[in-house]
Amino acid sequence: MTSSSEEKNGAAELGAKVNYSATPVNQSLTAEDKILFLRQMYRIRRFEQASLKSYNQGKLGGFLHLYIGQESIAVATASLMGKHDHIITAYRDHGHALAVGMGMNECMAELFGKRTGCSKGKGGSMHYFAPDKNFWGGHGIVGGQTPMGMGIAFAMKYRGHKGSCFAFLGDGAVNQGVFSESLNIAALWEIPVIFVIENNRYSMGTSLARSSSIKGSLAARAEGYNIDWELCNGADFYQTRAVLGAALERAHEQNKPSVLEVSTYRHYGHSVADANAKKYRTEAEIEEYKQFHDPLRVWQKTLEDEGVLTEEMATSIDREAKAEAVAAVEFADDSDFPDPSEIFQDVYWEVDNKTEAASTGRYFFGDGAPA
Amino acid sequence: MTSSSEEKNGAAELGAKVNYSATPVNQSLTAEDKILFLRQMYRIRRFEQASLKSYNQGKLGGFLHLYIGQESIAVATASLMGKHDHIITAYRDHGHALAVGMGMNECMAELFGKRTGCSKGKGGSMHYFAPDKNFWGGHGIVGGQTPMGMGIAFAMKYRGHKGSCFAFLGDGAVNQGVFSESLNIAALWEIPVIFVIENNRYSMGTSLARSSSIKGSLAARAEGYNIDWELCNGADFYQTRAVLGAALERAHEQNKPSVLEVSTYRHYGHSVADANAKKYRTEAEIEEYKQFHDPLRVWQKTLEDEGVLTEEMATSIDREAKAEAVAAVEFADDSDFPDPSEIFQDVYWEVDNKTEAASTGRYFFGDGAPA
Amino acid sequence: MPLLTYRKALNDAFAEEILRDENVFLMGEEVAEYNGAYKVTEGLWKRFGSKRVIDAPISEAAFVGLGVGAALVGMRPVIEMMFWSFVYVAFDQLMNNAGCVRYMSGGLANVPMVIRGPANGGTNVGATHSHTPENLLANLPGLKIVCPATAYDAKGLMKTAIRDNDTVCVMENTLLYGEKWEVPEEEYTIPLGVADVKREGSDLSFIAHGRAAITCLKAAEILEEQHGIRAEVVDLRSIRPLDEAAILRSVAKTHRVVVVEENKPFCGVGAQIASMIQEKAFDDLDAPVLRVSALDAPAIYSMPLEKMQLPTPERIVKKALEIC
Amino acid sequence: MPLLTYRKALNDAFAEEILRDENVFLMGEEVAEYNGAYKVTEGLWKRFGSKRVIDAPISEAAFVGLGVGAALVGMRPVIEMMFWSFVYVAFDQLMNNAGCVRYMSGGLANVPMVIRGPANGGTNVGATHSHTPENLLANLPGLKIVCPATAYDAKGLMKTAIRDNDTVCVMENTLLYGEKWEVPEEEYTIPLGVADVKREGSDLSFIAHGRAAITCLKAAEILEEQHGIRAEVVDLRSIRPLDEAAILRSVAKTHRVVVVEENKPFCGVGAQIASMIQEKAFDDLDAPVLRVSALDAPAIYSMPLEKMQLPTPERIVKKALEIC
Ligand SMILES: Cc1ncc(C[n+]2csc(CCOP(=O)(O)OP(=O)(O)O)c2C)c(N)n1
Ligand SMILES: Cc1ncc(C[n+]2csc(CCOP(=O)(O)OP(=O)(O)O)c2C)c(N)n1
Ligand SMILES: [Mg+2]
Ligand SMILES: [Mg+2]
């Protein structure tokens, strides 16, 4: 590590002073790249809004954790990933899913519980998966995904790939013991995992100050494990991408883990069911973030300032994203629910694949169970 | 915290430079006090050796984790405890038990599985208890005792007592997630718990370097939780007592937790069943510790140098400790095993106390179970 | 008697016990300032303050362990699992510490703690959030397990659980929180280990616990109306201690049994009940003891299928007709 | 055929599978340089090196989770729990990740992982170290559970488990590690879900798994010698998948059943088997299905009592005579 703990803990504010657009990982970006990132942020935002609308229309149930306000992080991450780079996250997973290239259709259909959903309607909002895009979920138990992310990265190193895994977690999730255990193992064995703390300042209704005792930052806990860590401002796309990129390089070149803490904010409540969303946060705070730290707005402004984007272009990107989301709702609406017999599918690989192993013994019990 | 992380990580070696015998907590010690500490160390050592002998004679089974080489830590702790100060530890618990005042008889009988044992022969070596002496076990699952210790300390504060709990764990146990979770909560809620890491350099056959990625020390991980932490040399009784005492004061006066790391060494293997005890550690290393860092020897020498103790006094203290241990073996030998009917006792408080609650419904199932 | 929701009945139980015994405190994620994820603890933080109603970080293992430690020295922690599904991250603290410490200390220690929260499927939250671990916990002698089916039972059993000197796991149900039942205004408690015959019948016994008991009542109505079969519904209320006598009384009367649970079938509570009945009432039985459980797969998300996965009145009726 | 210990048979299974498939690696506390707490992995680190045989810190949740992650991308982790008793600190990783991820991904993922280690009482290590969680894990559709009773079975089942594309929990037994059985030199595997009739009989069926099957064989001998009763011993070998057909075949032959397990009784494996038999073979039964389990208390330390707590041949014989 180069800078001291105190310096780094102050770094996010100092961020503006560094010209992150000039870092190698950002310098090579074309105008198209930059516009694509904006498009992806719009797509996430419009998808989320469409899903919220559908939720309010009673078309889906359970939980719905919106990613609005945090889009830059997933988009920056996905933009850096190569063939052997993987990603895993918690239940606030729609943004990551769309960023890595999953279609709105299968994502929306999943919310609707339809068989055309990415998880055939079996996982729901919290459990999206796309192994073909190196996206390993979508996990509902707080913190539980962190050692899995480490395991994926472990496998990349084991196989001699130049690879990594980005494992996302929230500011509340850092207090799950398994995350600390994972920090130790990742450092000890030099596993190319990148833990990204999306610090949106609240875990449900609990502010960071009420959930965590820290010295400057959550990421600084990595110091005790001798892990490289950095802070960054999620509203600054260039900075976020630069910090993520540096960690990825550390993973690829030195097989070293990182802990990154990205400051961000969710515009909505913890989930759609969060009736208190405006009680534990002041209106002023929410407005402040929406006005001045919205990663989508900030990025759009940056591109306009750079002369890369016109207002018309932005409007049409937005329009397309909205249209895509509307179409996804239609697709989901028109799709079928799974057949009841499918309840017993996708439990065991061997059974699904009718292998020899599936031919011996009983796998399911009770009513309706195939013998 | 006063000193920097780097300074503290070097402190254990520097320890010699500070005159810990002159710290307030040690200054008030009388000659009798000091001799009592030596006696307690001898008692622990002779008890352990007698239990080892009994183990080798086949009188007990299972695990037997000897505390020889670490005696100063339990003795120093017990010497500081007042009415509302509690203690909890892992499976290497004989030393703590004797230090807080449990008798050799009930401790030895427990090893023999006799009903006169401290846990009526039900818990065994790893599960000693003496609530009347504020000793809450004796716990077999690595790290599992740490939140319990925090809970005991929480209760002291809740009740407005000037109290605390010393929660002991090993250098391997720090990597159990629940310990990290406990650090956060203890700091966040200002709970007067003192986590004492007895760093004997190995967890079973695994050296610290192979189990833990650290920055200087294990205790330094506390920094990330904004918890006060200190290192000390367990072979230096005054230093150990001073550091423990300072933490206790912090607990009593400010309700603040601490993490202490005491460097120490176990002369024997991980447990008596550890066939590799001399494989993962060199003979030279073991000899070095026995010769130069044995807390009992060092303390005896200190007292001799102080003119508080003569060689004859030491010999007679040792003789008495040996005799007490021999008598304890006899006591254990002569005691009865529990009656088979006792298998179903001590499961539920309500059943044992034949309360109204015990009169409704079936509590036990299968063969031999009382209805 | 006033009609109260299951949620409010629990809320009242907490308030009464907090007032009664200064050792009682509530702890869990979002139980205080947020009023509880499911509003079960609504208003209690405001009323009793941060000493008695405590918001915890997302560290279940540590705060369950904290509860065990506090209980060892005489406190009466009432700890919420926001979902019982999350208990697996704290499972060691419950099984080895709460569950075994009394035994291993030869009776010197006890752990008067309550762990509570909802344990059910049926709310579109998928497999990770729909576990029903009553059978897993009831396996361990040392723990007690309670599954109230009504507001009346929830309040009475919760108050008893808080006063009990052993660890009691209370499994609530989010689908019941908003349902109303008659609850007396005067104080009452319900002993653990006493089943409640929620409907008398002569032709068939349903043995159930938790929300499954409510579903059985619906099935019993259908059986009566459409088939003239009078089914008895025995609500176990507590799984451990278990009211075997009440089960056997009902079997002796009806000679036909269907055990119903929202638990998964393999080694579920129903397996224990069925195995017990056939052993102790072999000659009373005119037909095998049948079981209705959750369909044997992880909880599915898809809304219509999720509803099918839990026991429905229709499925229970169908099963009953197999032996009537 | 050479006589091999249960321990060595397992050791050979690991070596063969490490050689066969480069995706296989062993991981756990003290499995490498220390040769394993119970020497089951002896010599493997020396032979295959630190890439294939890996010592882990005492962080079960993290390294089980690591195993799940690695398995998702096609590795075949074989992870040791030094004792299965320690799995409760990693329970969430096993139940929610290994067990549910396939379902929640609609079949896109699978977790070809083995978790293994001893799960038994009887070795004087007290309650925290003597859990037998096979019934807890078998409750969850998604996991597979195997409990080998002999060296032959241990090797054959372990090799199958490692090649299986789902998560398999293999429960070994420290009391069997040193026991010897015939094990062929040529390669073989044993499918999961196929029970083994370890002794033929006509008067009574013992249904058992793990070491209880060995105890049943002793009981069967006593019954034959002292009472002229010919007991059949059906060793389940795997709990999930379960060979129900083999159980029912035996019941159809003998009409009398005692289910024997080292599991605790309440919702134990025996409960499931008994409940299944009475349901599916009601008319075949001449007597209730009886059960012998561990005595229902946390595992006691005291040596003579601990021996009594597990099923003994005497206790099994006594139970058998109740229905013969
Ligand atoms: C082990 C566990 N405990 C509790 C929960 C309930 N829960 C779901 S999300 C959440 C808050 C998490 O906050 P944070 O980690 O900051 O992520 P964010 O929601 O802000 O993205 C809680 C308490 C859970 N899913 N798993
Ligand atoms: C959760 C858990 N995992 C593994 C074990 C097995 N085990 C018992 S002691 C031990 C080593 C602990 O070492 P350390 O914490 O350094 O304490 P020490 O034995 O040196 O006092 C291990 C791995 C256990 N008891 N519990
Ligand atoms: Mg957050
Ligand atoms: Mg150690």
Side-chain angles (χ1 to χ4, degrees), chain A residues 129 139 141 144 147-148 346-349, chain C residues 127-128 131 298, chain D residues 61 63-69 71-72 77 79 84 87 90-105 109-115 137 140-144 165-169:
Chain A
F129 286 83
H139 294 275
I141 301 296
M148 285 193 283
D346 304 316
V347 180
Y348 293 103
W349 189 96
Chain C
T128 54
H131 293 288
Chain D
F63 66 75
V64 169
L66 184 154
V68 178
L72 283 172
I79 296 200
W84 264 103
V87 78
F91 214 59
D92 172 62
Q93 292 296 325
L94 204 41
M95 296 289 278
N96 277 311
N97 293 346
C100 293
V101 79
R102 177 167 183 75
Y103 201 68
M104 296 188 307
S105 69
N110 61 310
V111 184
M113 175 173 71
V114 169
I115 310 268
L137 293 161
L140 186 75
L143 297 177
K144 299 179 181 178
N165 286 303
D166 299 302
T167 297
V168 185
C169 304

Side-chain angles (χ1 to χ4, degrees), chain C residues 162-223:
Chain C
I162 293 174
R163 298 179 192 186
D164 196 281
N165 286 303
D166 299 301
T167 298
V168 185
C169 303
V170 185
M171 314 237 165
E172 305 161 9
N173 192 306
T174 51
L175 294 172
L176 299 179
Y177 280 149
E179 302 281 310
K180 287 185 178 175
W181 282 270
E182 288 192 336
V183 178
E185 283 179 81
E186 56 280 11
E187 165 148 58
Y188 69 98
T189 59
I190 300 173
L192 312 188
V194 179
D196 183 39
V197 178
K198 287 213 155 40
R199 180 191 175 111
E200 301 263 354
S202 50
D203 301 335
L204 167 80
S205 301
F206 287 129
I207 315 290
H209 66 277
R211 181 169 167 269
I214 308 296
T215 319
C216 284
L217 287 173
K218 291 180 192 151
E221 258 172 55
I222 299 174
L223 280 172

Side-chain angles (χ1 to χ4, degrees), chain B residues 253-322:
Chain B
E253 303 306 326
Q254 305 169 58
N255 276 322
K256 274 208 173 178
S258 301
V259 175
L260 310 179
E261 180 176 342
V262 189
S263 61
T264 184
Y265 201 76
R266 54 170 159 76
H267 294 181
Y268 289 80
H270 167 68
S271 78
V272 172
D274 177 1
N276 293 343
K278 289 184 179 165
K279 288 191 187 153
Y280 55 82
R281 311 186 299 185
T282 63
E283 290 269 7
E285 176 182 302
I286 300 172
E287 268 320 298
E288 153 93 16
Y289 273 92
K290 283 189 183 173
Q291 290 296 327
F292 303 110
H293 307 286
D294 176 356
L296 189 153
R297 280 195 189 208
V298 173
W299 183 238
Q300 182 165 326
K301 176 82 168 41
T302 305
L303 297 194
E304 283 170 7
D305 290 350
E306 286 184 16
V308 161
L309 184 86
T310 63
E311 221 187 292
E312 295 74 54
M313 285 162 76
T315 311
S316 95
I317 287 171
D318 188 15
R319 203 181 310 113
E320 282 162 34
K322 267 189 195 149

Side-chain angles (χ1 to χ4, degrees), chain B residues 62-63 110-111 113 121-122 124 126-127 140 175-176 203-206 210-211 274 276 337-338 343 364-365 367, chain D residues 30 33-34 55 57-60 82-83 123-125 128-129 265-266 295-297 301-305 315 319:
Chain B
F63 296 144
E110 186 62 30
L111 297 182
K122 289 183 164 170
M126 301 194 283
H127 306 118
N175 297 314
Q176 276 288 318
S203 49
M204 290 192 66
T206 306
R210 295 207 300 121
S211 77
D274 177 1
N276 293 343
F337 288 112
I343 287 178
F364 300 98
F365 300 84
D367 286 355
Chain D
E30 310 294 347
E33 301 192 21
Y34 197 86
D55 277 328
I58 314 173
S59 305
E60 286 86 354
M82 191 185 281
F83 286 65
T123 61
N124 283 137
V125 287
T128 54
H129 283 56
F266 200 91
L295 297 186
D296 196 24
Y301 168 74
S302 188
M303 307 74 176
L305 279 81
R315 191 142 63 89
K319 187 69 72 176

Side-chain angles (χ1 to χ4, degrees), chain A residues 151 154 189, chain D residues 14 24-29 31 41 52 54 56-57 59-71 75-84 87 90 93-94 111-118 158 162 167-172:
Chain A
F154 172 92
W189 295 347
Chain D
F14 300 137
V24 173
F25 64 88
L26 309 187
M27 179 176 282
E29 293 151 18
V31 296
T41 52
R52 310 299 294 278
I54 305 164
S59 305
E60 286 86 354
F63 66 75
V64 169
L66 184 154
V68 178
M75 304 289 301
R76 296 192 168 266
V78 179
I79 296 200
E80 176 172 304
M81 292 285 108
M82 191 185 281
F83 286 65
W84 264 103
V87 78
Q93 292 296 325
L94 204 41
V111 184
M113 175 173 71
V114 169
I115 310 268
R116 54 155 292 271
M158 183 63 78
I162 295 173
T167 297
V168 185
C169 304
V170 185
M171 314 240 164
E172 306 161 8

